[in-house]
Amino acid sequence: MPLLSDSHRTIVHMDLDSFFVSVSRLINPLLNGKPVLVGGGERGVVAACSYEARAFGIHSAMPMKVARRLCPEAIVIRGDYDEYSKRSDEVMQIIREDAPVYERSSIDEFYIDITGMDRFFGCYKWATELRHTIRRETGLPISFGMSQNKTVSKIATDEAKPDNQMKIDFGAEKNFLAPLSVRKIPMIGEKTYHLLRNMGIEKVFTLQQMPPELLQNVLGENGIVIWKKANGIDHSPVEPYSERKSISSEETFNQDTIDVVMLKSLMVRMTEKLAFQLRNDDKLTSCVTVKIRYSNFDTHTMQSRIPYTSSDHTLITRVKELFDKLYSRRMLIRLIGVKFSHLVGGGQQINLFEDSEQLINLYQAMDKMRRVYGAHAIERAVGGTHSLRSFNPFNGIATAQAGTLPKDRSACEYLLVLSPPPAIKKEVWDIKKQFHRKHNHIRVAQSAPHIMLANFWLNKQSEEAVISGMEEVAKHQSPVEVRLKNFSHFQTHTIYIDVENPYAIISLVKSLKEKLGLHGSQSFFPMKPHMTIASGLREEQFKKAIVDFQQHEFRASFIADNMLLMKKETGDAGYRIIKEFDFCSSKDMEPAAKYEWNYT
């Protein structure tokens, strides 16, 4: 649970200055000090521009021909997606190493919650040293703003630019915002700005003095939010960043098929739906995965890293390429799926290097129609005859079609686990702490050792029925022997202790899944029992750490005679145990724990 109230939070917003131009200048120093435009040809738009170019009135998303007219001497360069992604990841790794909680809000912006660090180090000093570290190790200019919330910190960053920093003391938020233009407030776009100007509102000070009800009458619910932001009020949390976020869609056919034309048209429909969801959520993807399951249940996937994008035509082309490479056996197909992962925040302007102004306008018009009339209001004819599921089959998380299914704000997160006895738990804690000390990976120490049985989301009305179902399963479940053996890993980001005899646990998980009847959009039941040591590793950390783990052995076993249900009510709260379910007794199993430990 957080130790401090919202009014005493310390939030840092970091923004890489003119990011695309700065990266290009690292590659070609001859661009330093000159007006630079990043984007496509004459029919394209400006993806980014240097501060020297901005002096001529040029801004991002402006048609390139207009920008060239304003500044004929500007140097136009094409964007390098791969290089931008790589440089952004480098900055993220530096932040990840030091920041207790951070959020990657876009390819070049980060929020960091360092609440409470004044007790140990000094928040402003810590942020200053982090900024200098980024400047020194990447060569990229970066600015930051610090205040008690995300809105004021972001505005402070904009005021500090370029390559500078600013701190807004607690209680000084209103005075800081008052003289600024209302355009500085997030959420106020071109139309809202003109509406406010027609009302005679130019400065934030005027908004601060207005009754919030008046703004609500004019702007709807957004009026209240804008009034709060103008007064420096923002309680939104820093959402911890996770690279494993993904959205996906898959279809299982009633009858196995080899109709390639139909399969490709269906994948176009899937891709189009997911791309709209990306744009609607202000997200970009850099990894595309295609999945095929043949009639004999052999399942194959293939993925490809791509530059960050949310454009239909780019994603559809890559999905078709992956399908052509993957579908080589000419067998009947039972299932196909498409997944986009490695998501980051970012508007469509990040993907304008190859897009013409006409194409961008087309996307904006199509998306507007979908938001007003529903996700299926306008679609490509090639995929128009297929209806799709509305959940993520790769991880069981909902992929609600944007604009049609609202989020349930009252839902809480639950975790059902097998917990080892104190002796084993202490030994695993020691491994995790040793890992943190050696590899400086804070996330390793953020969760107690456990074996997850289920992870799901419920509103409070459904909690009682689900708990009743768990009690029924436990009533017929014998104690489970768990034998832990050595270390294994998921790809290059997670190290865990393997379960040598997983079948009894898998059987328990299947019983829970069947009894609880939770929809795939609100639940996840793992079929690979394990005890996580560290997750979210950088590749360099993983390569160093896995060598140590492969050189040592671990053996432990215990009898799990109950399972624990834990609950998390808010995004920044910790889990708390709310229920313990005892298994029925068994004469065949010794209810004692044992462990053998020779890891050094």
Side-chain angles (χ1 to χ4, degrees):
M1 296 292 290
L3 298 175
L4 301 171
S5 67
D6 269 351
S7 60
H8 293 89
R9 293 191 305 163
T10 303
I11 308 298
V12 177
H13 173 261
M14 288 194 159
D15 192 351
L16 291 157
D17 297 325
S18 192
F19 178 53
F20 297 157
V21 173
S22 297
V23 172
S24 301
R25 284 174 168 171
L26 284 180
I27 299 171
N28 182 7
L30 295 177
L31 298 175
N32 291 337
K34 298 177 181 177
V36 177
L37 308 179
V38 181
E42 285 296 323
R43 298 183 63 219
V45 296
V46 177
C49 55
S50 66
Y51 285 97
E52 292 83 0
R54 295 180 194 183
F56 291 86
I58 299 172
H59 56 79
S60 61
M62 174 182 285
M64 185 63 73
K65 58 185 178 183
V66 176
R68 293 295 300 273
R69 250 195 329 263
L70 291 173
C71 183
E73 63 269 31
I75 301 172
V76 180
I77 59 176
R78 303 192 74 82
D80 186 338
Y81 288 108
D82 293 332
E83 191 64 27
Y84 300 147
S85 301
K86 174 185 172 185
R87 300 285 182 169
S88 175
D89 288 343
E90 288 177 0
V91 175
M92 187 189 70
Q93 303 303 348
I94 296 172
I95 292 175
R96 172 187 283 170
E97 288 294 320
D98 292 337
V101 180
Y102 74 96
E103 174 185 336
R104 188 182 193 178
S105 60
S106 74
I107 195 171
D108 58 351
E109 289 185 84
F110 305 85
Y111 288 99
I112 308 172
D113 190 338
I114 54 174
T115 303
M117 291 188 67
D118 268 328
R119 302 174 183 177
F120 309 104
F121 190 74
C123 292
Y124 191 66
K125 181 181 179 183
W126 181 91
T128 300
E129 292 194 1
L130 177 61
R131 174 175 169 258
H132 290 162
T133 299
I134 294 171
R135 288 286 280 117
R136 181 176 64 254
E137 296 189 12
T138 69
L140 295 169
I142 187 169
S143 300
F144 80 74
M146 175 187 291
S147 76
Q148 68 156 332
N149 63 56
K150 294 169 79 171
T151 295
V152 177
S153 295
K154 180 175 176 61
I155 296 173
T157 303
D158 291 338
E159 292 300 295
K161 287 183 176 184
D163 201 18
N164 212 331
Q165 59 194 56
M166 180 180 292
K167 177 185 178 185
I168 308 302
D169 292 326
F170 174 69
E173 295 84 10
K174 287 186 67 173
N175 290 336
F176 162 67
L177 296 172
L180 303 178
S181 167
V182 293
R183 287 295 297 269
K184 293 286 186 178
I185 298 178
M187 290 184 63
I188 295 184
E190 196 69 33
K191 291 184 178 179
T192 305
Y193 173 69
H194 286 306
L195 177 60
L196 293 174
R197 290 293 288 113
N198 289 336
M199 295 170 62
I201 302 171
E202 182 179 2
K203 300 295 183 182
V204 175
F205 174 78
T206 310
L207 280 181
Q208 293 174 344
Q209 304 304 309
M210 293 179 65
E213 296 79 9
L214 176 58
L215 278 179
Q216 185 176 17
N217 291 336
V218 176
L219 302 174
E221 289 300 320
N222 284 342
I224 297 294
V225 178
I226 290 174
W227 181 86
K228 288 182 177 179
K229 289 181 180 293
N231 283 273
I233 302 171
D234 178 9
H235 300 301
S236 58
V238 172
E239 300 286 354
Y241 173 71
S242 171
E243 277 201 26
R244 296 175 65 187
K245 285 182 179 179
S246 64
I247 59 172
S248 59
S249 178
E250 73 177 30
E251 286 294 312
T252 300
F253 305 113
N254 294 327
Q255 184 174 353
D256 298 346
T257 180
I258 199 171
D259 186 345
V260 175
V261 174
M262 183 277 291
L263 292 171
K264 286 187 175 181
S265 67
L266 181 56
M267 284 191 295
V268 168
R269 176 75 177 275
M270 291 177 171
T271 306
E272 188 177 27
K273 183 193 80 168
L274 295 174
F276 169 55
Q277 185 180 340
L278 285 175
R279 295 193 297 274
N280 201 63
D281 294 340
D282 289 327
K283 296 289 185 181
L284 303 167
T285 180
S286 65
C287 186
V288 177
T289 304
V290 170
K291 175 180 179 180
I292 292 177
R293 179 170 296 155
Y294 292 102
S295 56
N296 63 354
F297 286 88
D298 282 351
T299 304
H300 301 269
T301 62
M302 181 175 289
Q303 70 178 31
S304 174
R305 292 300 297 265
I306 60 172
Y308 284 112
T309 185
S310 61
S311 295
D312 292 12
H313 63 285
T314 303
L315 294 167
I316 287 172
T317 300
R318 187 55 59 94
V319 165
K320 287 182 175 180
E321 290 174 355
L322 289 174
F323 177 80
D324 288 338
K325 293 178 181 178
L326 193 59
Y327 182 46
S328 58
R329 298 175 63 180
R330 298 299 180 256
M331 286 179 62
L332 289 171
I333 288 180
R334 175 183 177 84
L335 172 151
I336 59 171
V338 176
K339 178 171 73 171
F340 300 150
S341 55
H342 296 269
L343 308 185
V344 298
Q348 181 64 14
Q349 69 268 18
I350 292 180
N351 191 41
L352 301 183
F353 305 123
E354 304 297 335
D355 298 345
S356 67
E357 183 183 1
Q358 290 82 359
L359 187 58
I360 295 164
N361 290 336
L362 174 63
Y363 277 129
Q364 292 174 343
M366 291 168 60
D367 290 350
K368 184 176 181 180
M369 290 181 64
R370 288 167 176 151
R371 293 186 187 104
V372 175
Y373 300 108
H376 300 295
I378 182 168
E379 299 168 326
R380 283 173 169 78
V382 67
T385 60
H386 304 286
S387 62
L388 301 176
R389 307 175 192 272
S390 60
F391 64 94
N392 183 335
F394 285 82
N395 60 12
I397 307 302
T399 58
Q401 294 174 6
T404 60
L405 296 178
K407 296 180 179 178
D408 185 356
R409 300 293 182 184
S410 66
C412 297
E413 184 179 355
Y414 297 79
L415 197 62
L416 185 66
V417 304
L418 297 179
S419 182
I424 296 178
K425 186 178 291 187
K426 181 181 183 303
E427 300 292 358
V428 178
W429 264 123
D430 289 342
I431 303 174
K432 291 162 74 75
K433 291 175 181 177
Q434 181 180 338
F435 188 103
H436 174 49
R437 287 194 297 269
K438 186 170 183 179
H439 300 285
N440 192 26
H441 186 65
I442 191 169
R443 288 180 61 183
V444 76
Q446 291 181 338
S447 63
H450 66 268
I451 297 174
M452 184 171 72
L453 301 175
N455 184 209
F456 53 91
W457 292 258
L458 293 176
N459 55 39
K460 294 181 180 178
Q461 292 78 11
S462 305
E463 181 181 291
E464 185 176 342
V466 170
I467 289 178
S468 177
M470 292 177 182
E471 290 174 338
E472 187 68 22
V473 172
K475 192 183 300 182
H476 298 89
Q477 175 66 47
S478 299
V480 178
E481 182 185 11
V482 180
R483 296 199 301 269
L484 300 171
K485 179 183 178 182
N486 291 339
F487 305 93
S488 189
H489 60 92
F490 291 128
Q491 298 182 10
T492 59
H493 51 65
T494 301
I495 296 175
Y496 63 91
I497 301 174
D498 208 354
V499 175
E500 188 177 24
N501 58 331
Y503 305 108
I505 300 177
I506 293 174
S507 177
L508 172 58
V509 171
K510 288 181 177 179
S511 297
L512 288 164
K513 186 175 183 180
E514 181 179 349
K515 185 66 178 178
L516 301 183
L518 296 171
H519 193 276
S521 66
Q522 64 181 125
S523 61
F524 173 64
F525 294 86
M527 294 299 171
K528 171 68 176 173
H530 64 278
M531 188 177 291
T532 299
I533 295 297
S535 61
L537 297 172
R538 290 182 294 109
E539 188 169 357
E540 297 81 4
Q541 281 179 319
F542 171 81
K543 288 179 179 178
K544 292 178 182 177
I546 197 63
V547 173
D548 290 340
F549 283 102
Q550 288 173 343
Q551 292 175 349
H552 301 289
E553 293 185 350
F554 175 79
R555 293 287 188 278
S557 63
F558 65 95
I559 304 299
D561 55 7
N562 62 38
M563 53 188 182
L564 301 178
L565 179 62
M566 298 185 289
K567 180 179 180 180
K568 181 166 70 169
E569 297 186 1
T570 62
D572 55 353
Y575 287 101
R576 60 184 178 88
I577 298 174
I578 63 170
K579 186 74 174 178
E580 184 174 341
F581 304 90
D582 292 328
F583 297 151
C584 69
S585 61
S586 172
K587 299 178 182 178
D588 301 325
M589 303 188 73
E590 186 70 27
K594 60 180 179 177
Y595 65 95
E596 304 166 9
W597 175 243
N598 58 351
Y599 178 88
T600 58

